[in-house]
Amino acid sequence: MDIILALLPFFTVGLGAALISRFTGVALSFIIAPTLLYWGAKPLELVAFMLTFAVYNGFTSETQDFRLNIKHLVLFKGWRVAIPVVGSVVLAFIAPPASIAFFILCFIAELAMNMYQRLPDADRPVLSQVFTSVVIATIWCLVGVFAVAYMPETYYFILVGLAMLGLTGFAWYAAKHRDAFRGMWTQIWNFLTLFLGLFGLDSSFYARALGRNYTSKQDVMIPVITFVAAFVGIMAIFATEFIFSMPALVAAVGAAIGIRFAGMYEFSRRGTFSYAAIAVTILAVVSLFLVAPVPMGLVDMEALFR
């Protein structure tokens, strides 16, 4: 019962964030990250939680419009479907965490290739360019992850709040000035994974919402590129700090239920950014600054299980 009561708030914040996002267009991480800080999360706890959440929420949001079908697999078609299954079983006897990581990696790769193959030929980006973006975005995310140790715990919440305002300001400006950032649009989104690694802030939800006067075929792949980078970030934290955030999985379940039940926010086709999302972000940041939370640490789930 203690475990259920400890996990219930995380389920609730995931569900609540999904519902708020559905009606305002705000990124889920802009609700969940401040909430974790209100609860006393330390910087590394916050990042580990949000990276894990980003991966599992990515599965939910990117499969909202289609389902992976074993008959329509791309990478693991036919007999190759045995690769993730057999590989995971073998690794389970050697290193259980590696088994889970391998299976998730295979799932991510299959999901990404399914999405890529389903795009019309005219809208499909060059695969080598997508792969390059994955590598660059992952590097930026890892830079952020390893820089967290140098963040001042006492003032970390201020940096998170400023980053939220900055990312929201960028999205608003890009929607208002539809010719801005021409020639560097993809590079900007690759760079923004730095904020995912530093503060757990995932703004990739906004990429397809910003109508531009020029097209970027990679926009549809940005969320996938982002949660691939997040997955590598999780592995880096687990390998160096042996931290895995179970509450993040519970929050992701709550968010998934909210998304499946209520759907996702539909941004204006005119390319204007959601003023409701701006208002919610400002409210979250102001509340964060007023509370000025002290990083005491989240609930120790391992202790509860013991």
Side-chain angles (χ1 to χ4, degrees):
M1 182 60 70
D2 289 340
I3 295 174
I4 294 175
L5 291 177
L7 291 175
L8 184 60
F10 298 104
F11 175 87
T12 304
V13 74
L15 177 62
L19 295 177
I20 293 173
S21 177
R22 168 61 182 85
F23 295 106
T24 66
V26 70
L28 269 70
S29 64
F30 287 21
I31 299 296
I32 298 177
T35 302
L36 296 176
L37 291 172
Y38 298 148
W39 293 346
K42 295 181 179 180
L44 193 58
E45 285 181 323
L46 174 69
V47 172
F49 185 107
M50 295 308 302
L51 287 175
T52 306
F53 180 85
V55 172
Y56 284 89
N57 183 65
F59 294 160
T60 302
S61 59
E62 296 307 313
T63 57
Q64 179 73 358
D65 297 327
F66 76 90
R67 303 289 185 269
L68 283 178
N69 190 317
I70 194 169
K71 296 180 180 180
H72 300 98
L73 297 180
V74 178
L75 285 181
F76 302 106
K77 185 177 181 179
W79 66 268
R80 293 194 299 270
V81 73
I83 295 175
V85 177
V86 175
S88 298
V89 171
V90 172
L91 286 173
F93 291 99
I94 302 172
S99 171
I100 298 173
F102 177 73
F103 187 82
I104 294 175
L105 180 61
C106 292
F107 187 91
I108 290 175
E110 181 60 45
L111 175 60
M113 287 305 299
N114 245 276
M115 288 185 60
Y116 182 80
Q117 291 293 333
R118 293 185 187 210
L119 291 174
D121 290 341
D123 299 330
R124 189 180 298 167
V126 179
L127 187 59
S128 60
Q129 293 177 347
V130 176
F131 181 76
T132 300
S133 289
V134 168
V135 173
I136 295 173
T138 299
I139 291 172
W140 278 119
C141 184
L142 289 176
V143 169
V145 166
F146 290 118
V148 172
Y150 302 98
M151 294 287 102
E153 282 195 356
T154 306
Y155 305 107
Y156 183 73
F157 75 93
I158 297 177
L159 299 176
V160 172
L162 293 176
M164 289 172 59
L165 294 176
L167 291 170
T168 302
F170 161 74
W172 170 83
Y173 184 88
K176 188 174 181 63
H177 302 85
R178 300 173 70 171
D179 279 312
F181 312 114
R182 183 184 292 270
M184 55 187 299
W185 185 245
T186 299
Q187 289 80 3
I188 288 175
W189 285 103
N190 292 339
F191 168 74
L192 292 183
T193 56
L194 172 68
F195 295 94
L196 177 61
L198 271 175
F199 309 119
L201 299 176
D202 176 12
S203 57
S204 61
F205 175 60
Y206 296 150
R208 285 176 287 186
L210 307 177
R212 314 295 293 160
N213 288 340
Y214 56 90
T215 58
S216 176
K217 293 182 179 180
Q218 280 199 201
D219 281 6
V220 71
M221 299 300 294
I222 287 174
V224 177
I225 291 170
T226 300
F227 74 70
V228 170
F231 174 76
V232 177
I234 294 170
M235 294 298 99
I237 292 177
F238 185 80
T240 57
E241 303 291 340
F242 208 70
I243 295 176
F244 179 77
S245 181
M246 183 182 297
L249 302 183
V250 178
V253 171
I257 292 174
I259 291 174
R260 298 299 188 204
F261 174 75
M264 298 178 67
Y265 184 82
E266 295 290 336
F267 284 89
S268 170
R269 293 184 179 180
R270 296 175 299 172
T272 55
F273 192 64
S274 169
Y275 286 98
I278 296 174
V280 170
T281 301
I282 293 174
L283 177 62
V285 173
V286 170
S287 300
L288 186 62
F289 288 172
L290 290 176
V291 172
V294 178
M296 301 295 294
L298 297 175
V299 176
D300 187 349
M301 296 306 302
E302 292 186 3
L304 288 179
F305 276 104
R306 289 195 296 268

